Amino acid sequence: MYRFLLTPRWWGINVFVLLAIPFCVFMGSWQLSRFEGRVQDHRAATEQATSDRDEAARPLHSMLPVDKSTSGRRVTAEGHYGKQLLVPGRELDGKRGFYVLTLLRTDSDKALPVVRGWLPGTADPAKAPAPPTGEVTVTGALQASETPGDNGVGAQGGLPAGQTAAISSASLVNLVPYRLYDAWVTLDKGDAGMKAVPASAPSGTGLDLKAFQNLGYTGEWFVFAGFVVFMWFRLLRRELEFQRDAALGLVPEDQERTPVPSG
């Protein structure tokens, strides 16, 4: 009864099934591992953010370049404050306002962008407190350069003079006359009565849309594997029904030689 499984047509079907199922399972497992990796990164970032608040600040140069292991860590740097910029359209505690960003000129002949704090309302230079004069020591959380358009970072152009949409060396290079670190720092305590801006987790460590896309793709690949198995059994059942009908003489002679399951 099952001799039809040895026909070229069924050889092709069987080979396809034997290749498709492992492939779907492999792809589903790979997507699941991607999701689990993002969950682990998120857990590690959360634990690191908690421990970072209590650890001693380290010199800035020892924590560069910024990566997942150093983002959010407390650092300290010395220098003189220079040019000041405003970063509009930033929310804190559910309110819209702006960051006050001041460039700290260090002994390395480079400038470190420092977010001294947040103020509510529309960005206005008159509202922003002037930076301290003389040599200062800043302590805060190290952050990687922002990417315009990601995680709520503005990407708009045409801002008034003295404003920037993103805190990144690429955005600031044409706005300040200094060489820049590819990093920035948000102070532990807001300067001059401003609210401190909390550190954010490094990019790619949160349970964001991409993480749940990986989980969704995992389900899709396993569903595909199940669908392949279901269709194979359905074709097999139809073929057996055809063979039974042919044995009972219910199939015309011209169809007995080339069985075609009905749709």
Side-chain angles (χ1 to χ4, degrees):
M1 180 179 292
Y2 291 94
R3 286 181 299 177
F4 62 84
L5 292 175
L6 300 178
T7 62
R9 173 172 174 267
W10 272 93
W11 266 106
I13 293 175
N14 293 335
V15 168
F16 172 78
V17 171
L18 291 175
L19 293 177
I21 292 176
F23 177 76
C24 291
V25 171
F26 169 78
M27 291 300 296
S29 301
W30 178 68
Q31 290 289 350
L32 181 60
S33 68
R34 293 284 302 275
F35 174 75
E36 291 175 341
R38 290 180 181 275
V39 171
Q40 182 61 35
D41 285 346
H42 176 71
R43 185 180 296 115
T46 302
E47 293 174 353
Q48 179 174 304
T50 301
S51 62
D52 288 346
R53 289 193 292 266
D54 302 323
E55 74 171 2
R58 300 184 182 183
L60 173 66
H61 64 81
S62 68
M63 304 299 284
L64 297 175
V66 186
D67 55 25
K68 289 183 180 180
S69 65
T70 60
S71 179
R73 305 288 291 274
R74 295 181 71 240
V75 298
T76 183
E78 298 179 353
H80 295 78
Y81 278 126
K83 188 175 179 63
Q84 183 160 285
L85 301 168
L86 306 181
V87 188
R90 297 304 179 100
E91 291 188 0
L92 186 62
D93 298 333
K95 297 180 181 179
R96 196 167 182 82
F98 61 97
Y99 294 168
V100 176
L101 176 71
T102 312
L103 280 299
L104 180 73
R105 302 184 64 183
T106 66
D107 293 337
S108 65
D109 197 31
K110 280 181 148 183
L112 174 69
V114 177
V115 173
R116 296 171 51 228
W118 175 91
L119 290 171
T122 305
D124 183 354
K127 298 179 183 178
T133 58
E135 186 170 353
V136 297
T137 299
V138 300
T139 303
L142 184 65
Q143 300 280 264
S145 288
E146 296 179 331
T147 301
D150 287 350
N151 300 321
V153 178
Q156 74 271 24
L159 292 174
Q163 295 188 20
T164 180
I167 308 173
S168 70
S169 56
S171 299
L172 297 173
V173 67
N174 296 321
L175 300 178
V176 297
Y178 319 126
R179 294 174 56 232
L180 297 165
Y181 286 100
D182 189 18
W184 57 283
V185 166
T186 176
L187 296 183
D188 288 342
K189 297 180 180 179
D191 197 7
M194 294 181 287
K195 282 189 176 182
V197 175
S200 59
S203 176
T205 59
L207 294 181
D208 53 12
L209 178 60
K210 290 182 179 179
F212 289 102
Q213 281 179 339
N214 291 136
L215 188 60
Y217 294 150
T218 298
E220 288 181 1
W221 282 112
F222 287 130
V223 168
F224 290 158
F227 180 74
V228 170
V229 174
F230 168 76
M231 288 303 299
W232 185 86
F233 276 106
R234 186 174 182 183
L235 289 172
L236 179 66
R237 187 185 66 181
R238 288 186 175 182
E239 193 74 33
L240 290 173
E241 290 174 351
F242 181 86
Q243 295 290 336
R244 181 195 61 194
D245 292 344
L248 295 175
L250 301 178
V251 179
E253 291 186 4
D254 59 342
Q255 293 188 24
E256 288 186 24
R257 299 174 184 175
T258 310
V260 179
S262 59

